[in-house]
Amino acid sequence: MNSSQTQEPTPESVKYGERLIEEGNLITFPNPRPGRRYNVHITLPEFTCKCPFSGYPDFATIYVSYMPDQRVVELKAIKLYINSYRDRYISHEESANQILDDLVAACDPLEITIKADYTPRGNVHTVVEVKHEKKG
């Protein structure tokens, strides 16, 4: 095999971190202060995905701000979940909306905002912000 060829990983060659990222499960735990209104702010500065049109990599900082209800998202789990986007072909808009949907499904917060602040590429800077409020 020459240096321009790549070898597909075998199950034995897949690193443990790659397996955890591939699983990308959002794990939650009981809110230690249910009934108290407080905000959790998480910054994830190393988000990457691929442009669905060009295949070029996109880089962003993802800001998650939420008010928990009964469940809180575990930090290592959200890190691995966010890293699962690195080889996904997905638009800026869809990635922010999918992250919101997945976090709402995992922890059902009272309120949540996802802000995806993309690194400028080709003189274009994109920021996508999506919000959800629990009904009732």
Side-chain angles (χ1 to χ4, degrees), residues 74-101:
E74 198 269 327
L75 295 177
K76 181 179 178 185
I78 196 170
K79 172 189 78 170
L80 294 170
Y81 165 79
I82 287 295
N83 286 342
S84 75
Y85 279 81
R86 69 182 177 187
D87 293 323
R88 196 180 300 188
Y89 295 93
I90 190 168
S91 70
H92 297 175
E93 298 80 5
E94 180 57 17
S95 62
N97 278 284
Q98 188 62 59
I99 292 166
L100 177 77
D101 290 347

Side-chain angles (χ1 to χ4, degrees), residues 60 92-93 116-121 124-128:
H92 297 175
E93 298 80 5
D117 187 349
Y118 282 85
T119 302
R121 180 163 51 92
V124 176
H125 179 210
T126 308
V127 178
V128 179

